[in-house]
Amino acid sequence: MAAATLMRKIGSAINEAAIGSRITSGWYDAHMAAASRAVVERIPLVDFVLEVRDARIPKTSEYELMKNYPLSSKRIIILNKTDLADRSQTEVWTRFFEDHNCISYGVNSHNKENIRELLTFLQARVRELKKSGHSSHATTMMLVGIPNVGKSALANSLHQIGRISAAEKGKLKNAIVSPQPGETKNISSLKIASHPNIYVLDTPGIFPPKILNIDICSKLALTGAIRDILVGEQLLVQYLLTLINSSDKYKKWGNLSATDSLLECSTCSGLEKQKRGYPSDHTQDIIVNDVRRILFETISTFDGNLEDEKGMGNLIETQLLALHKALHVPMGFDNDSPIKVASKLLNLYRTGRLGRYTIDSLPNNT
């Protein structure tokens, strides 16, 4: 199948980068090795370990270092980015973890109400710990996970909501948040609650030195856990379109038409019209709707075999050509225009504008 072929290409590119001269471009480098040692030293010392995973890839984003520790009430799996994942699949995965005696919790780190609910949940776990004889005045929780699962954003949100709830004043100390994986370099401590005091330790994202599974490599790359430079946006967007074309989520865009964009533009406010003077901003609703419409039309009118690698390739080629116009990227004779189209389309996927996808399936033995 086309997806399997693209996975092999992506996996090979990542493995070559991991052992080649580009190792400092976002793979296992010196700071990640040092962070691994620091995390391992602290795991026995903290009261709770919050293993943050990407809700789109609940299994693939598993934290390798935690495999050396048995499941216990001290370990909680936080499925972050639930706003980007299929809601029903998140519920399925949550039940799966519960069936395997592992506490899990789904959250969107940018949703204040979600964060309040998570903080209440964590405080309840702390109260249970106190009842069991833990007499320490302060409780520490350590956030661990692979790069770009949202640990720092989660730490900041918990810190801000916790400070507000405790009516504490003073300048907020924030963890560094970046869309690029691997930006957190050090372990930082943030207070998230009072009475009792609870502190969260934000740690750098860590990969194992090698990932030989091409399926895992491909999913990590598509969701942005691995820097795009290691694979290339064009290869990644082919994989993305393979997933979209193989899903039925595109069908909900069937009510979009070319006239919708014109109607929307005629009824929008002066400020919105001024914004649309910048067609390079691909996040505008009018452009996103054009992208969705083109994807629907190209998939629904395709009469080839999507199970066939050549057929899928032909459809993807047709889609990318059509998306140049929708994304306002002029066709050029250099390599820049295809990369720009791929980059913009990947951004729309990673911000949920092209639907909510859970890529991981439950293990077959379940």
Side-chain angles (χ1 to χ4, degrees), residues 154-240:
L154 184 60
N156 285 337
S157 295
L158 284 169
H159 177 50
Q160 291 167 354
I161 295 297
R163 294 276 300 244
I164 293 171
S165 300
E168 293 187 0
K169 298 179 180 180
K171 185 178 180 180
L172 289 176
K173 171 188 174 185
N174 290 328
I176 298 174
V177 178
S178 170
Q180 291 295 331
E183 290 300 312
T184 302
K185 305 294 184 183
N186 302 304
I187 296 177
S188 59
S189 175
L190 299 173
K191 188 176 182 180
I192 64 171
S194 301
H195 312 297
N197 292 327
I198 305 176
Y199 293 86
V200 66
L201 303 179
D202 181 32
T203 66
I206 299 172
F207 281 130
K210 290 183 180 180
I211 299 180
L212 300 178
N213 188 306
I214 58 173
D215 189 12
I216 291 176
C217 287
S218 301
K219 294 174 181 178
L220 291 176
L222 181 59
T223 53
I226 297 172
R227 291 181 184 270
D228 292 344
I229 191 175
L230 295 181
V231 179
E233 291 91 341
Q234 290 173 270
L235 186 57
L236 284 175
V237 86
Q238 291 178 48
Y239 179 36
L240 168 62

Coordinates of all heavy atoms in Angstrom, one line a residue, residues 154-240:
L154 N 1.7 22.6 29.0 CA 0.9 22.0 30.1 C 1.3 22.5 31.4 O 0.5 22.9 32.3 CB 0.9 20.5 30.0 CG 0.1 19.7 31.0 CD1 -1.4 20.0 30.8 CD2 0.3 18.2 30.9
A155 N 2.7 22.6 31.6 CA 3.2 23.1 32.9 C 2.8 24.5 33.1 O 2.4 24.9 34.2 CB 4.7 22.9 32.8
N156 N 2.9 25.3 32.0 CA 2.6 26.8 32.1 C 1.1 26.9 32.5 O 0.7 27.8 33.3 CB 2.9 27.5 30.8 CG 4.4 27.7 30.7 OD1 5.1 27.8 31.6 ND2 4.8 27.9 29.4
S157 N 0.2 26.2 31.8 CA -1.2 26.3 32.0 C -1.6 25.9 33.5 O -2.4 26.5 34.1 CB -2.0 25.4 31.0 OG -1.8 25.9 29.7
L158 N -1.0 24.8 33.9 CA -1.2 24.4 35.3 C -0.8 25.4 36.3 O -1.4 25.7 37.3 CB -0.5 23.0 35.6 CG -1.2 21.8 35.0 CD1 -0.2 20.6 35.1 CD2 -2.5 21.4 35.7
H159 N 0.4 26.0 36.0 CA 1.0 27.0 36.9 C 0.1 28.3 36.9 O -0.2 28.8 38.0 CB 2.4 27.4 36.3 CG 3.1 28.5 37.1 ND1 3.2 28.5 38.4 CD2 3.7 29.6 36.6 CE1 3.9 29.6 38.8 NE2 4.2 30.3 37.7
Q160 N -0.4 28.7 35.8 CA -1.2 29.9 35.7 C -2.6 29.7 36.4 O -3.0 30.5 37.2 CB -1.4 30.4 34.3 CG -0.1 30.9 33.7 CD -0.2 31.0 32.1 OE1 -1.2 30.6 31.5 NE2 0.9 31.5 31.5
I161 N -3.2 28.6 36.1 CA -4.5 28.3 36.7 C -4.4 28.1 38.2 O -5.2 28.5 39.0 CB -5.2 27.1 36.1 CG1 -5.5 27.4 34.6 CG2 -6.4 26.6 36.9 CD1 -6.5 28.5 34.4
G162 N -3.3 27.4 38.6 CA -3.0 27.1 40.0 C -2.8 28.4 40.8 O -3.3 28.6 41.9
R163 N -2.0 29.3 40.2 CA -1.7 30.6 40.9 C -3.0 31.4 41.1 O -3.2 32.0 42.1 CB -0.7 31.4 40.1 CG 0.7 30.7 40.0 CD 1.5 31.1 41.2 NE 1.7 32.5 41.4 CZ 2.9 33.1 41.3 NH1 4.0 32.4 41.1 NH2 3.0 34.4 41.6
I164 N -3.8 31.4 40.0 CA -5.1 32.2 40.1 C -6.0 31.6 41.2 O -6.6 32.3 42.0 CB -5.8 32.2 38.7 CG1 -5.0 33.0 37.7 CG2 -7.2 32.8 38.9 CD1 -5.5 32.9 36.3
S165 N -6.1 30.2 41.2 CA -7.0 29.6 42.2 C -6.5 29.8 43.6 O -7.3 30.0 44.5 CB -7.0 28.1 41.9 OG -7.5 27.8 40.6
A166 N -5.2 29.9 43.8 CA -4.6 30.2 45.1 C -4.5 31.7 45.5 O -4.1 32.0 46.5 CB -3.2 29.5 45.2
A167 N -5.0 32.5 44.5 CA -4.9 34.0 44.7 C -3.5 34.5 45.0 O -3.3 35.4 45.8 CB -5.9 34.4 45.7
E168 N -2.5 33.8 44.4 CA -1.1 34.2 44.7 C -0.7 35.3 43.7 O -1.1 35.3 42.5 CB -0.2 33.0 44.5 CG -0.4 32.0 45.6 CD 0.7 30.9 45.5 OE1 1.5 31.0 44.7 OE2 0.6 29.9 46.3
K169 N 0.0 36.2 44.2 CA 0.5 37.3 43.4 C 2.0 37.2 43.0 O 2.7 36.4 43.6 CB 0.2 38.7 44.1 CG -1.2 38.9 44.4 CD -1.4 40.3 45.1 CE -2.9 40.5 45.4 NZ -3.0 41.8 46.1
G170 N 2.4 38.0 42.1 CA 3.8 38.0 41.7 C 3.9 37.6 40.3 O 3.0 37.1 39.6
K171 N 5.1 37.9 39.8 CA 5.4 37.6 38.4 C 5.4 36.1 38.1 O 6.0 35.3 38.8 CB 6.7 38.2 38.0 CG 7.0 38.1 36.5 CD 8.4 38.7 36.2 CE 8.7 38.6 34.7 NZ 10.0 39.2 34.3
L172 N 4.7 35.7 37.0 CA 4.7 34.3 36.7 C 6.0 33.8 36.1 O 6.6 34.5 35.3 CB 3.6 34.0 35.7 CG 2.1 34.1 36.2 CD1 1.2 33.9 35.0 CD2 1.8 33.1 37.3
K173 N 6.5 32.7 36.6 CA 7.6 32.1 36.0 C 7.2 31.0 35.0 O 6.4 30.1 35.4 CB 8.5 31.4 37.1 CG 9.6 30.5 36.6 CD 10.3 29.8 37.8 CE 11.3 28.8 37.3 NZ 11.9 28.0 38.4
N174 N 7.5 31.1 33.8 CA 7.0 30.2 32.7 C 8.1 29.4 32.2 O 9.2 29.7 32.1 CB 6.3 31.0 31.6 CG 5.0 31.7 32.0 OD1 4.3 31.2 32.9 ND2 4.7 32.8 31.5
A175 N 7.7 28.2 31.7 CA 8.6 27.3 31.0 C 8.6 27.8 29.5 O 7.6 28.4 29.0 CB 8.1 25.8 31.0
I176 N 9.6 27.5 28.8 CA 9.8 27.9 27.4 C 8.9 27.0 26.5 O 9.0 25.8 26.6 CB 11.2 27.9 27.0 CG1 12.1 28.9 27.8 CG2 11.3 28.2 25.5 CD1 13.5 28.8 27.5
V177 N 8.1 27.6 25.7 CA 7.2 26.9 24.8 C 7.6 27.2 23.4 O 7.8 28.4 23.0 CB 5.7 27.2 25.0 CG1 4.9 26.4 24.0 CG2 5.3 26.8 26.4
S178 N 7.8 26.2 22.5 CA 8.2 26.4 21.1 C 7.5 25.4 20.3 O 7.3 24.2 20.7 CB 9.7 26.3 21.0 OG 10.0 26.3 19.6
P179 N 7.1 25.7 19.1 CA 6.5 24.7 18.1 C 7.5 23.7 17.6 O 7.2 22.7 17.1 CB 5.9 25.6 17.0 CG 6.8 26.8 17.0 CD 7.1 27.1 18.5
Q180 N 8.8 24.0 17.8 CA 9.8 23.1 17.4 C 10.2 22.2 18.5 O 10.3 22.6 19.7 CB 11.1 23.9 17.0 CG 11.0 24.8 15.7 CD 10.7 23.9 14.5 OE1 11.2 22.8 14.4 NE2 10.0 24.5 13.5
P181 N 10.3 20.9 18.2 CA 10.7 19.9 19.2 C 12.1 20.1 19.7 O 13.0 20.5 19.0 CB 10.5 18.6 18.5 CG 10.7 18.9 17.0 CD 10.1 20.3 16.9
G182 N 12.3 19.8 21.0 CA 13.6 19.8 21.5 C 14.1 21.2 22.0 O 15.3 21.4 22.2
E183 N 13.2 22.1 22.3 CA 13.6 23.4 22.7 C 13.9 23.5 24.3 O 14.6 24.3 24.7 CB 12.5 24.5 22.4 CG 12.5 24.7 20.9 CD 13.8 25.2 20.3 OE1 14.4 26.2 20.8 OE2 14.2 24.7 19.3
T184 N 13.2 22.7 25.0 CA 13.4 22.7 26.5 C 14.7 22.0 26.8 O 14.9 20.8 26.4 CB 12.3 22.0 27.2 OG1 11.0 22.6 26.9 CG2 12.5 22.0 28.7
K185 N 15.7 22.7 27.4 CA 17.0 22.2 27.6 C 17.2 21.7 29.1 O 18.1 20.9 29.4 CB 18.1 23.2 27.3 CG 17.9 23.7 25.8 CD 18.2 22.7 24.8 CE 18.1 23.3 23.4 NZ 18.3 22.3 22.3
N186 N 16.5 22.4 30.0 CA 16.8 22.1 31.4 C 15.5 21.7 32.2 O 14.4 21.9 31.7 CB 17.4 23.4 32.1 CG 18.7 23.8 31.4 OD1 19.6 23.0 31.3 ND2 18.7 25.1 31.0
I187 N 15.7 21.2 33.4 CA 14.5 20.9 34.2 C 14.2 22.1 35.0 O 15.0 22.7 35.7 CB 14.9 19.7 35.1 CG1 15.1 18.4 34.3 CG2 13.7 19.4 36.1 CD1 15.5 17.2 35.1
S188 N 12.9 22.5 34.9 CA 12.5 23.7 35.7 C 11.3 23.3 36.6 O 10.6 22.4 36.3 CB 12.1 24.8 34.7 OG 11.0 24.4 33.9
S189 N 11.2 24.1 37.7 CA 10.2 23.8 38.7 C 9.1 24.9 38.7 O 9.5 26.1 38.8 CB 10.8 23.7 40.1 OG 9.8 23.5 41.1
L190 N 7.8 24.6 38.7 CA 6.8 25.5 38.7 C 5.7 25.1 39.7 O 5.4 24.0 39.8 CB 6.1 25.6 37.3 CG 6.9 26.1 36.1 CD1 6.1 25.9 34.8 CD2 7.4 27.5 36.3
K191 N 5.3 26.1 40.5 CA 4.2 25.8 41.5 C 2.9 25.8 40.9 O 2.5 26.7 40.1 CB 4.3 26.9 42.6 CG 3.4 26.5 43.8 CD 3.6 27.6 44.9 CE 2.8 27.2 46.2 NZ 2.9 28.2 47.3
I192 N 2.1 24.8 41.2 CA 0.7 24.7 40.5 C -0.4 24.7 41.6 O -1.6 24.8 41.2 CB 0.6 23.5 39.6 CG1 0.7 22.2 40.4 CG2 1.7 23.5 38.5 CD1 0.4 20.9 39.6
A193 N -0.1 24.6 42.9 CA -1.2 24.6 43.8 C -0.6 24.9 45.2 O 0.6 24.7 45.5 CB -1.9 23.3 43.9
S194 N -1.5 25.4 46.1 CA -1.2 25.6 47.5 C -2.1 24.9 48.4 O -3.2 24.6 48.0 CB -1.2 27.1 47.8 OG -0.4 27.9 47.0
H195 N -1.7 24.6 49.7 CA -2.5 24.0 50.7 C -3.1 22.6 50.2 O -4.3 22.5 50.1 CB -3.6 24.9 51.1 CG -3.1 26.3 51.5 ND1 -2.2 26.6 52.5 CD2 -3.4 27.5 50.9 CE1 -2.0 27.9 52.5 NE2 -2.7 28.5 51.5
P196 N -2.3 21.6 50.0 CA -0.9 21.6 50.1 C -0.2 22.1 48.9 O -0.8 22.2 47.8 CB -0.6 20.1 50.3 CG -1.7 19.4 49.5 CD -2.9 20.3 49.7
N197 N 1.1 22.5 49.1 CA 1.9 22.9 47.9 C 2.2 21.8 47.0 O 2.6 20.7 47.4 CB 3.2 23.5 48.4 CG 3.0 24.8 49.2 OD1 2.0 25.6 48.9 ND2 3.8 25.1 50.2
I198 N 2.0 22.1 45.7 CA 2.3 21.1 44.7 C 3.2 21.8 43.6 O 2.9 22.9 43.2 CB 1.0 20.6 44.0 CG1 0.0 20.0 45.0 CG2 1.4 19.5 42.9 CD1 -1.3 19.5 44.4
Y199 N 4.3 21.1 43.3 CA 5.2 21.7 42.3 C 5.3 20.7 41.1 O 5.2 19.4 41.3 CB 6.6 21.9 42.9 CG 6.6 22.9 43.9 CD1 6.3 22.7 45.3 CD2 7.0 24.3 43.6 CE1 6.3 23.7 46.2 CE2 7.0 25.3 44.6 CZ 6.7 25.0 45.9 OH 6.7 26.0 46.8
V200 N 5.4 21.2 39.9 CA 5.6 20.4 38.8 C 7.0 20.7 38.2 O 7.4 21.8 38.1 CB 4.5 20.6 37.7 CG1 4.5 22.0 37.1 CG2 4.5 19.6 36.6
L201 N 7.7 19.6 37.8 CA 9.0 19.7 37.2 C 8.8 19.5 35.7 O 8.3 18.4 35.2 CB 9.9 18.7 37.7 CG 10.2 18.7 39.2 CD1 11.2 17.6 39.6 CD2 10.7 20.0 39.7
D202 N 9.2 20.5 34.9 CA 9.1 20.4 33.4 C 10.4 19.9 32.9 O 11.5 20.5 33.2 CB 8.7 21.7 32.8 CG 8.7 21.7 31.3 OD1 8.3 20.6 30.8 OD2 9.0 22.7 30.6
T203 N 10.5 18.8 32.2 CA 11.7 18.2 31.7 C 11.8 18.3 30.2 O 10.8 18.4 29.5 CB 11.8 16.7 32.1 OG1 10.8 16.0 31.5 CG2 11.6 16.6 33.7
P204 N 13.1 18.2 29.7 CA 13.2 18.2 28.2 C 12.6 16.9 27.6 O 12.6 15.9 28.2 CB 14.8 18.2 28.0 CG 15.3 18.7 29.3 CD 14.3 18.2 30.4
G205 N 12.2 17.1 26.3 CA 11.7 15.9 25.6 C 12.8 15.0 25.2 O 13.9 15.5 24.8
I206 N 12.6 13.7 25.4 CA 13.7 12.8 25.2 C 13.3 11.6 24.3 O 12.2 11.0 24.5 CB 14.2 12.2 26.5 CG1 14.7 13.3 27.4 CG2 15.3 11.1 26.3 CD1 15.1 12.9 28.8
F207 N 14.1 11.3 23.3 CA 13.9 10.2 22.4 C 15.0 9.1 22.8 O 16.0 9.4 23.4 CB 14.2 10.5 20.9 CG 13.1 11.2 20.2 CD1 13.3 12.3 19.5 CD2 11.8 10.6 20.3 CE1 12.3 12.9 18.8 CE2 10.8 11.3 19.6 CZ 11.0 12.4 18.9
P208 N 14.7 7.8 22.5 CA 15.8 6.8 22.6 C 16.8 7.1 21.6 O 16.5 7.8 20.6 CB 15.1 5.5 22.4 CG 13.9 5.9 21.6 CD 13.5 7.2 22.1
P209 N 18.1 6.6 21.7 CA 19.1 6.9 20.8 C 18.8 6.4 19.3 O 19.2 7.0 18.4 CB 20.3 6.1 21.3 CG 20.1 6.0 22.8 CD 18.6 5.9 22.9
K210 N 18.0 5.3 19.3 CA 17.6 4.8 18.0 C 16.1 4.4 18.0 O 15.7 3.9 19.0 CB 18.5 3.6 17.6 CG 19.9 3.9 17.2 CD 20.6 2.7 16.8 CE 22.1 3.0 16.5 NZ 22.8 1.8 16.0
I211 N 15.4 4.6 16.9 CA 14.1 4.1 16.7 C 14.1 3.3 15.4 O 14.2 3.9 14.3 CB 13.0 5.2 16.7 CG1 13.0 6.0 18.0 CG2 11.7 4.6 16.4 CD1 12.0 7.1 18.1
L212 N 14.1 2.0 15.4 CA 14.2 1.2 14.2 C 12.8 1.0 13.6 O 12.8 0.6 12.4 CB 14.9 -0.1 14.6 CG 16.3 0.0 15.1 CD1 16.8 -1.4 15.5 CD2 17.2 0.7 14.2
N213 N 11.7 1.1 14.3 CA 10.4 0.9 13.8 C 10.0 2.0 12.8 O 9.8 3.1 13.3 CB 9.4 0.7 14.9 CG 8.0 0.3 14.5 OD1 7.4 0.9 13.6 ND2 7.6 -0.8 15.1
I214 N 9.8 1.7 11.5 CA 9.5 2.7 10.6 C 8.1 3.3 10.8 O 7.8 4.5 10.5 CB 9.6 2.2 9.1 CG1 8.7 1.0 8.9 CG2 11.1 1.9 8.8 CD1 8.7 0.5 7.5
D215 N 7.2 2.5 11.3 CA 5.8 3.0 11.6 C 5.9 4.0 12.7 O 5.3 5.1 12.5 CB 5.0 1.8 12.1 CG 3.5 2.1 12.2 OD1 3.1 3.2 11.7 OD2 2.8 1.3 12.8
I216 N 6.7 3.8 13.7 CA 6.8 4.8 14.8 C 7.5 6.1 14.2 O 7.0 7.2 14.5 CB 7.6 4.2 16.0 CG1 6.8 3.1 16.7 CG2 8.0 5.3 16.9 CD1 7.6 2.4 17.8
C217 N 8.5 5.9 13.5 CA 9.2 7.1 12.9 C 8.3 8.0 12.1 O 8.3 9.2 12.2 CB 10.4 6.6 12.1 SG 11.8 6.0 13.0
S218 N 7.5 7.3 11.3 CA 6.6 8.1 10.4 C 5.5 8.9 11.2 O 5.3 10.0 10.9 CB 5.9 7.1 9.4 OG 6.8 6.4 8.7
K219 N 5.0 8.3 12.2 CA 3.9 8.9 13.0 C 4.5 10.1 13.8 O 3.9 11.1 13.9 CB 3.2 7.9 13.9 CG 2.4 6.9 13.1 CD 1.9 5.8 14.1 CE 1.1 4.8 13.3 NZ 0.5 3.7 14.2
L220 N 5.7 9.9 14.3 CA 6.4 10.9 15.1 C 6.7 12.1 14.2 O 6.5 13.3 14.6 CB 7.7 10.4 15.7 CG 7.5 9.4 16.8 CD1 8.9 8.9 17.3 CD2 6.8 10.0 18.0
A221 N 7.1 11.8 13.0 CA 7.5 12.9 12.0 C 6.2 13.7 11.6 O 6.2 14.9 11.5 CB 8.2 12.3 10.8
L222 N 5.1 13.0 11.3 CA 3.9 13.6 10.8 C 3.3 14.5 11.9 O 2.9 15.6 11.6 CB 2.9 12.6 10.4 CG 1.6 13.1 9.8 CD1 1.8 14.0 8.6 CD2 0.6 12.0 9.5
T223 N 3.4 14.1 13.1 CA 2.8 14.9 14.2 C 3.7 16.0 14.7 O 3.3 16.8 15.6 CB 2.4 14.0 15.4 OG1 3.5 13.2 15.8 CG2 1.2 13.1 15.0
G224 N 4.9 16.1 14.2 CA 5.8 17.2 14.5 C 6.7 16.9 15.7 O 7.4 17.8 16.2
A225 N 6.8 15.7 16.2 CA 7.7 15.3 17.3 C 9.2 15.4 16.8 O 10.1 15.6 17.6 CB 7.4 14.0 17.9
I226 N 9.4 15.1 15.5 CA 10.7 15.1 14.9 C 10.8 16.3 14.0 O 9.8 16.6 13.2 CB 11.0 13.8 14.2 CG1 10.9 12.6 15.1 CG2 12.3 13.9 13.4 CD1 11.0 11.3 14.4
R227 N 11.8 17.0 14.0 CA 12.0 18.2 13.1 C 11.8 17.8 11.6 O 12.3 16.8 11.2 CB 13.3 18.8 13.3 CG 13.5 19.5 14.6 CD 14.9 20.1 14.7 NE 15.2 20.7 16.1 CZ 14.9 21.9 16.4 NH1 14.3 22.7 15.5 NH2 15.1 22.4 17.6
D228 N 11.1 18.6 10.9 CA 10.7 18.4 9.5 C 12.0 18.2 8.6 O 12.0 17.5 7.6 CB 9.9 19.5 8.9 CG 8.5 19.5 9.5 OD1 8.1 18.4 10.1 OD2 7.8 20.5 9.4
I229 N 13.1 18.9 9.1 CA 14.3 18.9 8.3 C 14.9 17.5 8.1 O 15.6 17.2 7.2 CB 15.3 19.9 8.9 CG1 16.5 20.1 7.9 CG2 15.8 19.3 10.2 CD1 17.5 21.1 8.4
L230 N 14.6 16.6 9.1 CA 15.1 15.3 9.0 C 14.5 14.4 7.9 O 15.0 13.4 7.5 CB 15.0 14.6 10.4 CG 15.8 15.2 11.5 CD1 15.6 14.4 12.8 CD2 17.3 15.2 11.2
V231 N 13.2 14.8 7.6 CA 12.5 14.0 6.6 C 12.2 14.8 5.3 O 12.4 14.3 4.2 CB 11.2 13.5 7.2 CG1 10.4 12.7 6.2 CG2 11.4 12.7 8.4
G232 N 11.8 16.0 5.5 CA 11.4 16.8 4.3 C 9.9 17.0 4.3 O 9.2 16.0 4.4
E233 N 9.4 18.2 4.1 CA 8.0 18.5 4.1 C 7.2 17.8 3.0 O 6.1 17.3 3.2 CB 7.7 20.0 4.0 CG 8.1 20.8 5.3 CD 9.6 21.3 5.2 OE1 10.3 20.7 4.4 OE2 9.9 22.2 5.9
Q234 N 7.9 17.6 1.8 CA 7.2 17.0 0.7 C 6.8 15.6 0.9 O 5.8 15.1 0.6 CB 8.0 17.2 -0.6 CG 8.1 18.7 -1.0 CD 9.0 18.9 -2.2 OE1 10.2 19.1 -2.0 NE2 8.5 18.7 -3.4
L235 N 7.8 14.8 1.5 CA 7.5 13.4 1.8 C 6.4 13.3 2.9 O 5.6 12.4 2.8 CB 8.8 12.8 2.3 CG 8.8 11.2 2.5 CD1 8.3 10.5 1.2 CD2 10.1 10.7 2.9
L236 N 6.5 14.2 3.9 CA 5.5 14.1 5.0 C 4.1 14.5 4.5 O 3.1 13.8 4.9 CB 5.9 15.1 6.1 CG 7.1 14.7 7.0 CD1 7.4 15.8 8.0 CD2 6.7 13.5 7.8
V237 N 4.0 15.4 3.6 CA 2.7 15.8 3.1 C 2.1 14.7 2.2 O 0.8 14.5 2.2 CB 2.7 17.2 2.4 CG1 3.0 17.0 0.9 CG2 1.4 17.9 2.6
Q238 N 2.9 13.9 1.6 CA 2.4 12.8 0.8 C 1.8 11.7 1.8 O 0.7 11.1 1.5 CB 3.5 12.1 0.0 CG 4.0 13.0 -1.2 CD 5.2 12.3 -1.9 OE1 5.1 11.1 -2.2 NE2 6.2 13.1 -2.1
Y239 N 2.5 11.5 2.9 CA 2.0 10.6 3.9 C 0.7 11.1 4.5 O -0.3 10.4 4.7 CB 3.0 10.4 5.0 CG 2.7 9.5 6.2 CD1 1.9 8.4 6.0 CD2 3.1 9.8 7.4 CE1 1.6 7.6 7.0 CE2 2.8 9.0 8.5 CZ 2.0 7.9 8.3 OH 1.7 7.0 9.3
L240 N 0.6 12.5 4.8 CA -0.6 13.1 5.3 C -1.8 12.9 4.3 O -2.9 12.5 4.8 CB -0.3 14.6 5.5 CG -1.6 15.4 5.8 CD1 -2.3 14.9 7.1 CD2 -1.2 16.9 5.9

